[in-house]
Amino acid sequence: QVHFLESGGRLVQAGDSLSLSCTASEHSFGTYTVGWFRQRPEKEREFLAAISWDGVSTYYQDSVKGRFTISRDDDENTAYLYMNNLKPQDTGVYLCAADPSGWGTPGNEYEYDYWGQGTQVTVSS
């Protein structure tokens, strides 16, 4: 079973940029769809962005399209989420996840089998 370690979360100010990393424990990471999700206080976990195993396809939630960019470096077993123009409502725990079954419905959290513990992002106004 693959394990993930997210990093990069911290306290920032509104309008700042931030890059998050998600590093996998196994090279099989390179065959998985990878997604980023967010858990905000008192809200359900929400999908943010996904990238296919080969990096060719990406998919974003409308609210982050144009502000967030997902990428991956399979040589490093790492996926990234670059966020700019952060807003206080972006505050939350950011988690990465992997779907080994391919590019099905990347926005559906139930398709992801492996999850990291998350990294906290706090955006002050």
Side-chain angles (χ1 to χ4, degrees), residues 57-73:
S57 300
T58 57
Y59 179 66
Y60 295 92
Q61 185 204 106
D62 286 345
S63 68
V64 304
K65 200 175 296 183
R67 290 196 302 128
F68 291 9
T69 302
I70 189 171
S71 63
R72 66 190 300 159
D73 182 344

Side-chain angles (χ1 to χ4, degrees), residues 3-124:
H3 297 280
F4 294 105
L5 179 63
E6 298 98 332
S7 62
R10 61 183 177 89
L11 173 64
V12 297
Q13 293 186 335
D16 282 354
S17 299
L18 192 63
S19 184
L20 305 180
S21 300
C22 167
T23 301
S25 59
E26 298 181 6
H27 288 293
S28 57
F29 168 85
T31 65
Y32 299 159
T33 291
V34 176
W36 281 96
F37 293 78
R38 177 171 65 197
Q39 181 74 60
R40 293 187 284 182
E42 300 181 357
K43 293 189 179 292
E44 294 185 355
R45 186 165 60 193
E46 60 181 326
F47 166 79
L48 299 175
I51 187 166
S52 60
W53 69 273
D54 56 2
V56 171
S57 300
T58 57
Y59 179 66
Y60 295 92
Q61 185 204 106
D62 286 345
S63 68
V64 304
K65 200 175 296 183
R67 290 196 302 128
F68 291 9
T69 302
I70 189 171
S71 63
R72 66 190 300 159
D73 182 344
D74 291 339
D75 289 338
E76 299 293 329
N77 289 347
T78 300
Y80 304 94
L81 184 69
Y82 178 77
M83 307 180 289
N84 63 34
N85 191 23
L86 283 163
K87 306 173 182 180
Q89 54 264 44
D90 292 318
T91 293
V93 176
Y94 285 68
L95 309 99
C96 66
D99 173 8
S101 65
W103 190 252
T105 310
N108 182 357
E109 66 176 272
Y110 298 106
E111 294 203 355
Y112 292 83
D113 292 341
Y114 308 119
W115 291 81
Q117 294 298 309
T119 185
Q120 175 71 43
V121 173
T122 304
V123 185
S124 65

